[in-house]
């Protein structure tokens, strides 16, 4: 039910809802909860079919799949540990076989245990780097190879963090993984640009409604005060705050943006301590 009115050189389309990701296939790693789940649903609302990847919580992944299907899109859940190359191969091949292609990859899966630097074990260090950084490398390389082979002008979005450029004490391993991820974004942007693949990132600040930190962590009054005293917008972020930027980077609206990371933190990373009210 739509018509095109032509008025001079300007074309006005009346009555049609234009979706930004119609007929695209998106793979969102770690979309069984939190930011990844929000992005998967946000993409589906814009017309994309979605591959929901999860690590351990199948029931939550199925919940995301059902929400996407109820929006009228196709969706499948695939278990894979992004830190393991065999799992990643299975994930990408399985997604491609079931949905026919991948236009958009969001490297979102991540973990963030809090351990003071003097106590970080080799095991924790290796695991955090493996999931947050190596996982993005493995998924991106496998997907980019297929995009190049099939001449797909794809989009790769890395979910980083303000911790990639600003130290949070107690998370040296995590901070380093996100700093590395930002450099992976830039490196891939340079090498994949000639194939018309856009590579960009998102750097959220403190986002509530996710499971990355233990329950109650974000609600702790001391933590809240510390964050809010440095946040010009005066509130913590929500998953929904991340979705618009993800849709933008996944759509053609951002097709000349390459190698950049959008910071979504209410201004947390630009403000120093406050001396006056
Ligand atoms: N929340 C924040 O304040 C914040 C701020 C900045 C950046 N971020 C980044 O945002 C991303 C999403 O975090 P979130 O806060 O939404 O956390 P979350 O709710 O805990 O979600 C993490 C997701 O990653 C998946 N995952 C974990 N390890 C995995 C692995 N080895 N292989 C595949 N999937 C794995 C989880 O799957 P299962 O459910 O199956 O375990 C889950 O779906 C992370 O990269 C995080 O660093 C978050």
């Amino acid at each position: 039910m739509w018509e095109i009115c032509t008025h001079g050189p300007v074309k006005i389309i009346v009555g049609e809802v234009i979706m930004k990701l119609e007929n695209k296939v998106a793979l969102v790693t770690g979309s069984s909860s939190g930011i990844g789940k929000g992005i998967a649903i946000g993409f589906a609302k814009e017309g994309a079919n979605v591959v929901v990847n999860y690590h351990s919580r199948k029931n939550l992944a199925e919940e995301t799949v059902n929400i996407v299907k109820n929006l009228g899109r196709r969706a499948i859940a695939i278990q894979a540990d992004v830190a393991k190359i065999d799992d990643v191969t299975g994930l990408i091949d399985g997604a491609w076989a079931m949905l026919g292609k991948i236009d958009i990859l969001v490297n979102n899966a991540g973990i963030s245990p809090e351990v003071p630097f003097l106590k970080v074990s080799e095991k924790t260090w290796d695991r955090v780097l493996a999931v947050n950084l190596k996982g993005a490398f493995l998924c991106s390389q496998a997907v980019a190879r297929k995009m190049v082979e099939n001449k797909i002008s794809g989009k790769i979005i890395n979910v980083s963090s303000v911790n990639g450029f600003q130290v949070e004490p107690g998370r040296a391993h995590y901070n380093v993984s996100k700093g590395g991820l930002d450099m992976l974004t830039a490196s891939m942007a340079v090498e994949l640009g000639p194939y018309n693949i856009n590579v960009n990132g998102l750097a959220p600040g403190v986002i509530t409604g996710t499971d990355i930190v233990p329950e109650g962590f974000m609600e702790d009054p001391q933590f809240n005060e510390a964050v809010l005293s440095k946040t010009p917008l005066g509130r913590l972020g929500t998953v929904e705050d991340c979705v618009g930027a993800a849709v933008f980077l996944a759509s053609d609206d951002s097709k000349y943006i390459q190698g950049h990371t959008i910071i979504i933190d209410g201004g947390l990373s630009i403000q120093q301590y406050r001396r006056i009210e």
Side-chain angles (χ1 to χ4, degrees), residues 9-271:
V10 183
K11 231 188 220 174
I12 304 167
I13 299 175
V14 181
E16 186 189 21
V17 179
I18 298 172
M19 286 188 285
K20 291 182 184 296
L21 306 176
E22 194 146 27
N23 299 321
K24 301 289 183 192
V25 175
L27 163 58
V28 185
T29 68
S31 43
S32 48
S33 79
I35 295 171
K37 178 180 178 180
I39 290 174
I41 295 167
F43 282 4
K45 285 182 181 162
E46 291 294 340
N49 299 315
V50 184
V51 181
V52 175
N53 157 252
Y54 67 100
H55 180 233
S56 52
R57 296 179 295 174
K58 186 177 180 187
N59 55 329
L60 295 190
E62 281 167 355
E63 230 176 80
T64 309
V65 165
N66 287 336
I67 296 171
V68 170
K69 283 185 175 167
N70 286 336
L71 288 165
R73 315 285 168 244
R74 297 178 69 198
I76 49 168
I78 303 182
Q79 193 281 334
D81 180 345
V82 295
K84 296 184 178 154
I85 191 161
D86 289 346
D87 281 25
V88 170
T89 305
L91 169 65
I92 310 301
D93 288 351
W96 207 279
M98 284 190 257
L99 293 183
K101 59 175 181 167
I102 298 172
D103 301 287
I104 303 156
L105 166 68
V106 182
N107 289 307
N108 166 79
I111 53 173
S112 183
E114 187 179 32
V115 193
F117 178 73
L118 292 177
K119 293 189 174 162
V120 182
S121 66
E122 183 184 11
K123 192 173 163 200
T124 297
W125 179 274
D126 284 350
R127 183 65 184 157
V128 171
L129 270 289
V131 175
N132 297 3
L133 181 55
K134 188 172 103 175
F137 157 67
L138 292 175
C139 292
S140 299
Q141 190 189 54
V143 169
R145 281 176 175 163
K146 284 190 181 286
M147 285 175 171
V148 170
E149 208 177 292
N150 292 279
K151 297 191 166 44
I152 292 174
S153 301
K155 308 275 186 181
I156 298 178
I157 301 166
N158 290 329
V159 180
S160 182
S161 167
V162 292
N163 291 42
F165 57 90
Q166 196 176 46
V167 168
E168 181 181 352
R171 294 186 206 272
H173 38 294
Y174 180 77
N175 302 336
V176 167
S177 74
K178 295 299 187 180
L181 188 58
D182 292 344
M183 186 45 84
L184 180 65
T185 298
S187 302
M188 292 196 298
V190 169
E191 293 207 33
L192 299 178
Y195 298 100
N196 223 10
I197 297 171
N198 288 115
V199 187
N200 291 294
L202 299 176
V206 181
I207 306 297
T208 53
T210 86
D211 297 336
I212 200 156
V213 290
E215 217 181 311
F217 181 96
M218 301 271 189
E219 289 75 34
D220 172 34
Q222 258 185 322
F223 172 77
N224 255 266
E225 187 172 335
V227 176
L228 295 184
S229 69
K230 265 178 87 328
T231 306
L233 289 185
R235 64 172 177 85
L236 303 185
T238 64
V239 167
E240 205 48 45
D241 288 324
C242 302
V243 175
V247 169
F248 172 65
L249 290 181
S251 76
D252 274 347
D253 288 349
S254 60
K255 67 181 172 209
Y256 201 56
I257 297 178
Q258 186 73 338
H260 288 286
T261 294
I262 299 179
I263 299 167
I264 310 167
D265 70 348
L268 172 70
S269 57
I270 54 160
Q271 190 183 318

